[in-house]
Amino acid sequence: MIDQMKKGLFGFAAALLCSSLLAVLAACGNKQAAAPETESSEVKNEVVTNDTISKEMKVANMQEVQAYLKECGAFFIATVDGDQPRVRPFGVSEIIDGRLYIMTGKVKDVYKQMAANGKFEICALKNSGSEWMRLSGTLVNDETLAVKEEFLNRNESLKSMYKADDDNMAVLYITNATARFCSFSAPERKVNF
């Protein structure tokens, strides 16, 4: 019975994730979409907050997001391919030199989509199936060799697939980030960095 409840909650969370990602990606992919006639004060506050929070708060928020991603293990990243949303699992992220990075290969379609449109959304679901985080922002490619080397040093298992100087490894950092911490039992909480 408990296993069925967990599966039901996981299914509900997955459906919620897909619905949210499709809506966000549709908005990102349609650059000519009309702006909504009314903006909620929540959105206005979010933008202002992101611009005015202290450097220390941004660092703390980034560290909280990184810890959440690590706790979840795998997380799902959504990108746009023309007018089609694409979602796939990722498993590594690192804070290096004050930036939160993810990595992939330049030969992959996901990298090509990120290069064409840096807007993304990540969803990370905890093992409980009742808590998740949605992270959105913009991805920026970083060709710094030292950053690539540090990323590989922290993720030894990737060294069999990537080399810092192989012209395939892509490390991308997140800017203009908003993380939404969600739960079936608590109100949503947002942080920016």
Side-chain angles (χ1 to χ4, degrees), residues 22-190:
L22 289 175
V24 168
L25 290 173
C28 290
N30 186 1
K31 295 177 182 175
Q32 295 179 356
E37 290 182 24
T38 59
E39 286 186 333
S40 71
S41 60
E42 179 180 18
V43 173
K44 289 179 184 175
N45 289 339
E46 180 179 308
V47 173
V48 171
T49 303
N50 201 20
D51 291 340
T52 59
I53 59 175
S54 70
K55 183 176 180 179
E56 294 79 15
M57 184 58 74
K58 286 182 181 182
V59 169
N61 292 347
M62 184 186 307
Q63 290 170 339
E64 180 181 13
V65 167
Q66 168 69 356
Y68 202 101
L69 291 173
K70 294 276 187 185
E71 182 180 347
C72 291
F75 52 91
F76 295 86
I77 187 164
T79 58
V80 178
D81 183 13
D83 67 347
Q84 178 63 48
R86 302 288 181 196
V87 180
R88 76 274 292 154
F90 270 54
V92 293
S93 62
E94 296 294 340
I95 295 175
I96 303 171
D97 296 333
R99 293 177 171 161
L100 179 56
Y101 286 88
I102 60 170
M103 69 92 32
T104 190
K106 291 180 182 177
V107 298
K108 295 181 178 181
D109 287 341
V110 66
Y111 175 76
K112 294 170 187 167
Q113 293 155 16
M114 292 171 180
N117 183 345
K119 293 181 181 178
F120 74 97
E121 185 156 289
I122 285 174
C123 187
L125 179 68
K126 287 191 177 180
N127 288 336
S128 68
S130 62
E131 296 175 81
W132 62 97
M133 177 189 65
R134 292 173 30 222
L135 173 64
S136 60
T138 305
L139 292 166
V140 178
N141 190 42
D142 188 343
E143 292 293 333
T144 307
L145 187 62
V147 171
K148 292 179 179 184
E149 289 171 344
E150 181 62 23
F151 202 102
L152 288 174
N153 288 337
R154 294 183 191 183
N155 298 278
E156 293 284 330
S157 64
L158 296 175
K159 287 185 174 181
S160 64
M161 298 179 283
Y162 298 97
K163 305 284 183 261
D165 60 355
D166 67 4
D167 201 34
N168 178 39
M169 181 182 179
V171 291
L172 303 104
Y173 64 89
I174 298 169
T175 63
N176 302 317
T178 299
R180 291 171 169 84
F181 296 93
C182 306
S183 167
F184 290 127
S185 60
E188 180 180 289
R189 183 175 60 86
K190 290 186 239 180

